[in-house]
Amino acid sequence: MADLQIKQKYHIAVLLVVITSTFSGNPGIELKTAPAPDSSAPPPVIHVIVGGRAQLPCNITPPTIEDSVSLILWYRSDINAPLFTVDCRSGSLDKAKHFSSDFLGQRAHFDLRTRPALLTIEPVKAEDLGEYRCRVDYRWARTLNNNAILYVVVPPRDVVILDEKLQPLHRVIGPYNEDSEIRLKCLARGGRPSPFVSWWREMQLLDREHEKEDGDEVMNELVIRRLVRNDLNAELLCQVWNSNLTSSIVAAVFLDLNLKPLDVRILTTEAHYKAGWKYAFECRTRGSRPEPRISWWKDYILLGHHLTNVSHQPNISISTLVIAPSSDDHGRNLTCRVANPKLSFSSLEDSVTLNVYYKPQVRVSLQGGRTSQAVYENDDAFLKCSGKGNPSITAVFWYFQGQKLKNNPEDGIIISNQSLWLQNVRREQSGFYRCSAVNSEGQGESEDLKLNIKYKPICKHQHPKFYTAMIGETVRIQCDVEAEPDDVIFFWRFNNTKQVREILTRARFRLRSIVEFAPRDHSDFGTITCRGKNAVGIQKDACKYVLISVGPPEKVTNCTWLHDTSDFVHVECKPGHDGGLRQQFQLEVYNAEWKHLQINLTSHKKPVFQIPGVAPGASLVLVIYAINAKGRSPIVEMNIQTSLFAERHFEFFIINAQYCITNRKLLIFTLIQKGTIPQEKLDNIWDLKLFILLEKGTIPQEKLDNIWDLKLGL
Ligand SMILES: *[C@@H]1O[C@H](CO)[C@@H](O)[C@H](O)[C@H]1NC(C)=O
Ligand SMILES: *[C@@H]1O[C@H](CO)[C@@H](O)[C@H](O)[C@H]1NC(C)=O
Ligand SMILES: *[C@@H]1O[C@H](CO)[C@@H](O)[C@H](O)[C@H]1NC(C)=O
Ligand SMILES: *[C@@H]1O[C@H](CO)[C@@H](O)[C@H](O)[C@H]1NC(C)=O
Ligand SMILES: *[C@@H]1O[C@H](CO)[C@@H](O)[C@H](O)[C@H]1NC(C)=O
Ligand SMILES: *[C@@H]1O[C@H](CO)[C@@H](O)[C@H](O)[C@H]1NC(C)=O
Ligand SMILES: *[C@@H]1O[C@H](CO)[C@@H](O)[C@H](O)[C@H]1NC(C)=O
């Protein structure tokens, strides 16, 4: 490019020389014909930097020895007047006068002693550029011209790096985002020849083709399509140079970049975590610039910064998270996410799936049953201990009312896997059930499950209850049942030998019903029954109430008497119904022979009497009856004959034979063991001389029958 310019200028210069050599000249100086310079040899080009020294050669040697220089004129092709003159027309060359034009002034000096003679211009100015001609006139010979081209090199004025908006950039530029494109313009101003503008990165040439040349400005745009991590801190240098006479001038910038994180990793060594224990998780990331933002997530939940501690070192950042995982965290992902705050889509993450060990968490649920929460008596109940634990549950235990249950298929209690199967449940199995499950972390207990076994109403009392009333009197009969659920409706019924009829009542209080009943005549006494009904069903055995009209007591029953050794006769009966009133008991003792009342005894509580002073062998008639305010019961009559021997019961433990003397007769017993002799036999003992009781217990019949034949002497 520069060469081309110079060549063009040379052609122009040649043209100018032709014109000037024809028409110009120093005023007052005679011009000789000036032949064109020898076109076969182009004039020398002298390169001089502005401010430097230019030496333009001129051959002044005369063609013949006799000849001598008369006048030397220096011209520049674009200026008419000579620039420098040496006039020796009136003397010798040594004495000749040197004239410098205003244009060159003091800067020019012409040295005639050298061969060729040299016109020195110092310091050279930019405008000194041009084609110079030295015209030498000889005294005899023809005028000769020497041409030389002075090329003044001007260094570029300055260089500046601009961004796309043409704002100047200095030193560190950016930060630019990784992967983005940048365009930097390098603008050089001034300089002759036009400078080369090139981009360099360290020693590597990036771009040497400038895009634009405009006046004295040359612009080279550097495009980096995609910035990479390696470009961080790179020095981009713009070099401007236009001649090897000058050194280049440069401008440089350093790249600053925003860099994406390179990697992220959660460092953890645990294979599992114990619930409730504190663990520190470390997340390391490298490569982000500026420092990355690090966040921790549990599945999709952002964890608070108060749990973390971050440290940034150059190029590496570590965030430490301290948490105590809970059982709920099992299977969740713990994620560390890093992102460069300056770069969107720069985030990276690493996850660990939490394997949390925890004690079993169980609950009891009722699976069987007629409806979801109802088990009827005689149903099967199926309880399930469900829940979770990590590691998995190894054993399950069941508790009823706090007591551990054992597998007992015979009683219908079957424990298998995680279930409790109660077969054919009974009411008593209502209550609180609980399970507990075991794994390596420990034991977890469920809440209590209340198992309500539903059953039909049953009567609270087993035996019939008696009520007494007089005709027209109102009786309040209360029926109490047990039932589950306790929402019971009642059916009352009256029943005697003649009729059966329903009794209606409104008085109902969950497990209790009351009827008020007033017998109108004797047919209104009898049995009243009450049955309850709930969701499970109707009561099987009705509650019974016997309504009795008030009247004289019933007769006593089952009377027995006993005559003991002390002349007392003990009489004991069972009382009959008291007729609804308080009864007392009467015993009248008559002499059998004379029908004469001997004793009249009263007993208030029970029909038990002691008749004193009864002689052995007496024959008596006993008349026993009960009395209440309504009257007397029928009598019970007993004829008794007291034994001559008072003894009835023989209870001996004596083993040896011995003589016994009773109050009347001598008797010999051999009693081997305890025994009782019945009354009738004793009555016949009068005819006995001896008898032997040989065996334990009551004397067997045969022995007694044979006693008559015994003759055992002692
Ligand atoms: C300087 O430049 C000139 C002209 O372009 C050339 O002739 C010369 O060889 C160069 N010198 C050096 C040392 O490069
Ligand atoms: C930053 O880390 C990357 C990846 O290991 C490495 O290539 C680079 O040299 C590191 N830079 C510094 C300044 O340590
Ligand atoms: C948890 O991480 C695993 C493996 O990294 C992945 O397959 C799973 O989808 C993640 N779950 C959630 C909820 O992110
Ligand atoms: C116990 O569990 C095993 C395996 O899950 C199953 O095959 C078996 O039927 C279960 N037994 C009962 C009584 O549920
Ligand atoms: C009425 O009472 C009689 C005798 O106690 C009994 O046999 C009968 O079954 C009862 N009838 C009803 C309907 O309760
Ligand atoms: C009365 O005696 C009879 C027959 O010996 C017996 O069946 C009944 O149970 C006795 N009654 C009482 C109340 O003891
Ligand atoms: C015996 O005593 C009772 C009560 O005091 C009396 O009612 C009864 O008449 C008496 N019996 C005789 C035979 O007097």
Side-chain angles (χ1 to χ4, degrees):
M1 174 75 68
D3 285 346
L4 190 70
Q5 283 176 345
I6 292 166
K7 270 185 188 148
Q8 280 171 348
K9 279 179 183 155
Y10 168 71
H11 289 303
I12 295 163
V14 171
L15 197 66
L16 286 172
V17 168
V18 173
I19 295 163
T20 47
S21 48
T22 318
F23 301 105
S24 64
N26 229 1
I29 292 172
E30 186 195 338
L31 297 179
K32 291 190 177 174
T33 47
D38 185 357
S39 58
S40 63
V45 181
I46 294 144
H47 289 253
V48 181
I49 191 158
V50 70
R53 173 198 296 182
Q55 289 186 312
L56 304 177
C58 184
N59 187 359
I60 56 170
T61 311
T64 55
I65 211 129
E66 316 77 60
D67 206 350
S68 65
V69 173
S70 122
L71 180 65
I72 305 173
L73 295 170
W74 279 95
Y75 289 98
R76 206 171 79 179
S77 55
D78 53 340
I79 300 171
N80 285 337
L83 297 176
F84 201 95
T85 310
V86 178
D87 189 353
C88 41
R89 280 175 293 190
S90 51
S92 72
L93 195 58
D94 305 342
K95 307 261 175 59
K97 289 222 174 99
H98 292 216
F99 298 101
S100 183
S101 68
D102 292 345
F103 180 72
L104 291 176
Q106 293 297 312
R107 297 188 294 130
H109 166 76
F110 194 28
D111 188 353
L112 295 169
R113 288 165 303 178
T114 60
R115 287 295 175 273
L118 292 170
L119 174 68
T120 303
I121 304 172
E122 185 177 19
V124 171
K125 292 184 178 173
E127 56 269 31
D128 291 342
L129 172 101
E131 178 160 22
Y132 287 79
R133 178 166 57 92
C134 168
R135 184 183 123 184
V136 186
D137 291 356
Y138 300 98
R139 292 188 200 284
W140 305 114
R142 63 185 178 97
T143 295
L144 288 175
N145 286 302
N146 288 273
N147 284 359
I149 294 169
L150 177 60
Y151 189 85
V152 181
V153 171
V154 180
R157 200 161 57 245
D158 62 5
V159 55
V160 61
I161 296 174
L162 305 171
D163 64 13
E164 282 177 87
K165 291 174 189 151
L166 302 180
Q167 294 303 308
L169 300 172
H170 302 285
R171 286 188 291 279
V172 178
I173 63 168
Y176 299 100
N177 293 343
E178 187 176 355
D179 293 338
S180 66
E181 177 187 283
I182 55 166
R183 288 167 179 270
L184 299 177
K185 296 179 199 302
C186 180
L187 181 68
R189 284 180 288 216
R192 185 167 62 212
S194 266
F196 295 98
V197 178
S198 54
W199 280 101
W200 296 76
R201 174 175 171 168
E202 276 126 39
M203 299 303 288
Q204 183 196 352
L205 178 61
L206 299 178
D207 178 0
R208 58 188 193 136
E209 301 294 334
H210 64 255
E211 279 78 24
K212 201 165 134 202
E213 201 171 338
D214 185 6
D216 68 344
E217 293 187 345
V218 179
M219 168 105 73
N220 185 352
E221 187 181 51
L222 173 69
V223 179
I224 299 177
R225 295 277 170 219
R226 185 164 161 266
L227 287 170
V228 296
R229 176 168 294 272
N230 217 5
D231 296 329
L232 176 67
N233 295 331
E235 182 183 23
L236 295 178
L237 197 129
C238 175
Q239 186 184 52
V240 177
W241 175 84
N242 69 343
S243 160
N244 59 9
L245 296 178
T246 66
S247 52
S248 59
I249 61 171
V250 295
V253 288
F254 295 88
L255 280 179
D256 188 10
L257 299 185
N258 291 324
L259 297 175
K260 292 187 276 192
L262 275 175
D263 55 15
V264 59
R265 186 146 185 80
I266 296 176
L267 304 177
T268 170
T269 53
E270 308 288 337
H272 64 261
Y273 307 90
K274 281 176 171 288
W277 291 33
K278 277 194 173 181
Y279 292 92
F281 294 86
E282 203 176 271
C283 176
R284 277 168 193 262
T285 177
R286 292 182 307 167
S288 175
R289 180 186 168 90
E291 288 165 355
R293 207 181 283 139
I294 306 180
S295 55
W296 287 89
W297 301 75
K298 204 152 69 184
D299 277 359
Y300 304 109
I301 300 157
L302 177 64
L303 299 177
H305 285 299
H306 61 281
L307 299 170
T308 63
N309 179 20
V310 185
S311 77
H312 296 289
Q313 296 156 17
N315 208 17
I316 188 161
S317 296
I318 298 171
S319 172
T320 308
L321 170 78
V322 177
I323 52 166
S326 72
S327 57
D328 288 345
D329 295 332
H330 175 62
R332 288 193 170 163
N333 285 350
L334 186 66
T335 301
C336 174
R337 186 171 299 161
V338 295
N340 184 328
K342 305 278 181 186
L343 294 175
S344 41
F345 309 113
S346 66
S347 75
L348 286 180
E349 60 184 48
D350 188 27
S351 289
V352 289
T353 303
L354 294 174
N355 182 9
V356 182
Y357 275 17
Y358 57 94
K359 283 200 288 194
Q361 296 169 348
V362 286
R363 60 188 191 83
V364 178
S365 56
L366 177 63
Q367 304 255 305
R370 207 160 288 200
T371 62
S372 64
Q373 282 299 307
V375 178
Y376 288 7
E377 203 166 18
N378 302 324
D379 283 353
D380 283 2
F382 196 74
L383 300 182
K384 186 149 192 209
C385 185
S386 49
K388 50 188 186 160
N390 188 31
S392 50
I393 293 169
T394 52
V396 167
F397 302 106
W398 286 93
Y399 297 86
F400 171 57
Q401 302 284 77
Q403 297 290 310
K404 195 166 177 179
L405 282 176
K406 289 208 180 78
N407 188 41
N408 190 349
E410 280 172 21
D411 282 0
I413 298 172
I414 298 167
I415 296 172
S416 89
N417 291 356
Q418 304 197 352
S419 306
L420 171 65
W421 185 15
L422 300 173
Q423 290 174 316
N424 200 9
V425 289
R426 301 178 307 277
R427 271 185 292 143
E428 305 80 66
Q429 286 174 298
S430 287
F432 292 97
Y433 288 82
R434 183 155 39 96
C435 71
S436 98
V438 179
N439 70 0
S440 66
E441 295 300 291
Q443 181 164 344
E445 288 213 334
S446 71
E447 303 267 293
D448 278 329
L449 174 103
K450 185 166 188 225
L451 182 63
N452 251 342
I453 294 172
K454 299 187 189 297
Y455 56 94
K456 296 177 199 171
I458 51 164
C459 207
K460 235 181 181 172
H461 55 86
Q462 288 179 333
H463 300 296
K465 278 192 171 177
F466 288 89
Y467 286 83
T468 59
M470 293 190 289
I471 288 168
E473 189 185 347
T474 302
V475 222
R476 213 176 122 87
I477 300 175
Q478 181 174 313
C479 175
D480 286 307
V481 296
E482 288 171 352
E484 174 64 41
D486 61 1
D487 192 7
V488 181
I489 54 172
F490 291 86
F491 303 96
W492 288 87
R493 217 169 239 190
F494 176 78
N495 182 12
N496 67 7
T497 45
K498 293 185 191 134
Q499 57 170 333
V500 174
R501 72 165 195 265
E502 304 289 328
I503 307 171
L504 298 178
T505 179
R506 287 229 166 84
R508 177 160 78 94
F509 312 95
R510 294 208 161 266
L511 294 172
R512 168 174 296 175
S513 173
I514 293 169
V515 292
E516 291 192 338
F517 187 74
R520 283 165 309 206
D521 54 40
H522 279 292
S523 69
D524 279 348
F525 292 94
T527 305
I528 292 170
T529 57
C530 150
R531 263 179 222 272
K533 183 186 170 194
N534 68 358
V536 183
I538 192 155
Q539 187 172 342
K540 195 165 137 242
D541 297 318
C543 303
K544 280 196 178 140
Y545 306 91
V546 181
L547 182 61
I548 305 165
S549 70
V550 181
E554 285 180 353
K555 67 177 183 182
V556 297
T557 56
N558 289 20
C559 289
T560 55
W561 66 277
L562 199 72
H563 189 200
D564 67 12
T565 51
S566 51
D567 294 349
F568 279 93
V569 168
H570 181 84
V571 178
E572 194 168 337
C573 306
K574 299 283 184 234
H577 187 251
D578 63 4
L581 297 168
R582 217 172 71 179
Q583 62 180 347
Q584 65 179 42
F585 304 96
Q586 209 67 36
L587 170 66
E588 295 171 2
V589 182
Y590 294 89
N591 183 299
E593 288 161 28
W594 305 313
K595 312 282 188 221
H596 172 64
L597 176 67
Q598 288 193 321
I599 309 171
N600 191 357
L601 291 173
T602 305
S603 172
H604 290 281
K605 286 191 179 130
K606 291 188 225 163
V608 174
F609 305 94
Q610 297 272 24
I611 309 168
V614 181
S619 193
L620 300 173
V621 176
L622 305 182
V623 174
I624 306 160
Y625 55 88
I627 308 177
N628 71 8
K630 294 276 174 179
R632 291 177 170 213
S633 71
I635 61 162
V636 171
E637 202 175 299
M638 294 170 80
N639 292 309
I640 65 165
Q641 170 88 50
T642 61
S643 166
L644 287 173
F645 291 104
E647 290 85 355
R648 306 266 166 77
H649 298 282
F650 297 90
E651 295 195 353
F652 293 106
F653 297 90
I654 298 156
I655 309 303
N656 290 322
Q658 63 184 111
Y659 295 97
C660 288
I661 297 166
T662 68
N663 50 353
R664 303 192 196 227
K665 298 260 169 136
L666 175 69
L667 188 62
I668 301 164
F669 297 98
T670 298
L671 299 174
I672 292 181
Q673 290 204 320
K674 178 181 173 182
T676 303
I677 297 173
Q679 180 65 36
E680 314 85 66
K681 297 291 177 194
L682 282 172
D683 290 346
N684 290 326
I685 270 172
W686 296 112
D687 303 325
L688 275 180
K689 295 270 172 19
L690 298 164
F691 70 89
I692 299 169
L693 304 174
L694 290 170
E695 288 181 319
K696 176 184 178 181
T698 306
I699 297 172
Q701 187 62 37
E702 318 86 68
K703 295 281 179 202
L704 284 172
D705 292 345
N706 290 329
I707 273 175
W708 310 112
D709 306 324
L710 276 177
K711 292 200 171 67
L712 179 64
L714 290 169

